[in-house]
């Protein structure tokens, strides 16, 4: 005996079919938004040289549902270090504000603390837009790799709270595109500093070394120094070798 499908089931099936285009649009919108946010971060990294701090600034960080809104009183490049429920985060701003997706689980009334805001030196727009061309045409036929973007690691919360200072030395490869690969720990005074050092180093960018007019892969070394000179404000600096 054939049974007719209940009207309610038909209504549910129809509703699902009607929602499919909306779900597709939502997925596409989410992907586009993610790409836009990644593009914003990449542009900030290309425009800001936070290895050179030229001034201080003030900033605000607001976590609303799954968005993090960060604003500074400076329109120049700035690095903002902040805590969300005790966990350290760092953001680069180019233009005074940015909005990022919150990658963690939803938080109820999170405690957000801005640790510091530093105005960074800016890379000239023409330079930032033409880094590949520089590597190919504006260096001598035989030259060593030259750093063009350096991002300092954030000071680990646990180390700062306990007034721990230290040094990390890492070795790495610079490929033909000027990107950092194969990061290796050479020496560390405290394991608390290792993760942030590795994360920051991976974001360094170089004009590739040249040999006979062609880019070549070379090895580099960077030393990070984590200090609290006044006993209150953490400072991170770096140097080659």
């Amino acid at each position: 005996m054939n049974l007719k499908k209940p009207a309610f089931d038909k209504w549910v099936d129809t509703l699902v079919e009607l929602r499919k285009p909306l779900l597709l649009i939502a997925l596409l919108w989410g992907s586009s938004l993610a790409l836009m946010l990644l593009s914003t971060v990449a542009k900030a990294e290309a425009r800001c040289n936070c290895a050179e701090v030229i001034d201080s600034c003030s900033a605000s960080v607001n976590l609303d549902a799954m968005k993090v809104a960060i604003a500074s009183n400076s329109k120049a490049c700035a690095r903002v270090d902040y805590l969300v429920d005790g966990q350290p985060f760092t953001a680069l701003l180019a233009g005074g504000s940015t909005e990022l997706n919150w990658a963690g689980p939803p938080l109820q009334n999170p405690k957000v603390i801005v640790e510091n805001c530093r105005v960074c030196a800016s890379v000239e727009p023409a330079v930032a837009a033409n880094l590949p061309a520089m590597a190919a045409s504006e260096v001598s036929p035989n030259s060593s790799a030259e750093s063009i973007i350096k991002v300092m690691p954030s000071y680990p919360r646990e180390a700062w709270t306990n007034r721990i200072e230290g040094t990390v030395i890492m070795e790495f490869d610079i490929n033909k595109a000027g990107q950092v690969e194969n990061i290796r720990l050479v020496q560390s005074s405290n394991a608390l500093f290792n993760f942030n050092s590795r994360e920051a180093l991976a974001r360094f960018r170089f004009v590739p070394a040249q040999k006979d007019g062609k880019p070549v892969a070379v090895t580099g070394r960077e030393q990070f120094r984590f200090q609290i000179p006044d006993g209150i404000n953490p400072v991170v600096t770096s140097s080659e070798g």
Side-chain angles (χ1 to χ4, degrees):
M1 182 172 112
N2 294 327
L3 296 176
K4 292 185 178 180
K5 199 170 187 180
F8 177 77
D9 288 349
K10 289 184 178 181
W11 177 80
V12 171
D13 289 344
T14 301
L15 182 62
V16 170
E17 290 300 319
L18 288 174
R19 290 182 63 185
K20 282 182 179 179
L22 297 177
L23 291 172
L24 179 59
I25 292 173
L27 288 172
L28 292 173
W29 170 252
S31 299
S32 300
L33 182 60
L35 290 173
M36 288 170 62
L37 291 173
L38 288 172
S39 176
T40 300
V41 174
K43 287 179 181 178
E45 289 187 6
R47 288 179 53 188
C48 303
N49 174 21
C50 286
E52 182 181 347
V53 177
I54 59 177
D55 200 357
S56 61
C57 52
S58 61
S60 63
V61 178
N62 295 300
L63 178 55
D64 181 13
M66 302 304 288
K67 299 290 183 184
V68 184
I70 307 167
S72 166
N73 66 337
S74 172
K75 296 298 182 182
C77 287
R79 167 181 166 150
V80 178
D81 296 308
Y82 60 99
L83 303 174
V84 177
D85 285 346
Q87 297 299 313
F89 295 90
T90 297
L92 293 181
L93 280 65
S97 65
T98 189
E99 187 176 74
L100 305 173
N101 278 336
W102 174 248
L107 300 176
Q108 295 293 330
N109 301 318
K111 184 178 181 181
V112 181
I113 299 175
V114 177
E115 291 187 295
N116 56 64
C117 179
R118 299 173 183 144
V119 178
C120 307
S122 298
V123 179
E124 291 297 326
V127 174
N130 293 289
L131 295 182
M134 287 175 55
S137 64
E138 296 185 16
V139 294
S140 62
N142 296 284
S143 61
S144 57
E146 180 181 350
S147 62
I148 49 178
I149 297 176
K150 283 191 174 184
V151 179
M152 291 299 100
S154 58
Y155 212 104
R157 174 67 175 176
E158 184 178 349
W160 179 48
T161 301
N162 294 284
R163 301 297 185 267
I164 299 174
E165 299 181 317
T167 302
V168 175
I169 299 176
M170 289 188 165
E171 195 171 72
F172 54 95
D173 297 332
I174 305 170
N175 64 23
K176 296 179 182 180
Q179 300 170 329
V180 172
E181 298 179 333
N182 305 320
I183 299 173
R184 304 172 291 278
L185 178 65
V186 176
Q187 181 181 334
S188 175
S189 62
N190 194 307
L192 288 173
F193 302 113
N194 295 353
F195 178 81
N196 289 4
S197 297
R198 183 182 295 272
E199 185 182 54
L201 187 56
R203 296 160 66 184
F204 279 29
R205 292 294 181 268
F206 295 80
V207 173
Q210 299 276 312
K211 184 176 181 180
D212 298 328
K214 297 181 179 180
V216 293
V218 294
T219 299
R221 179 178 286 208
E222 195 78 15
Q223 176 176 281
F224 295 106
R225 290 176 295 278
F226 296 80
Q227 299 172 306
I228 312 175
D230 60 0
I232 300 176
N233 298 304
V235 176
V236 182
T237 57
S238 75
S239 61
E240 297 179 9

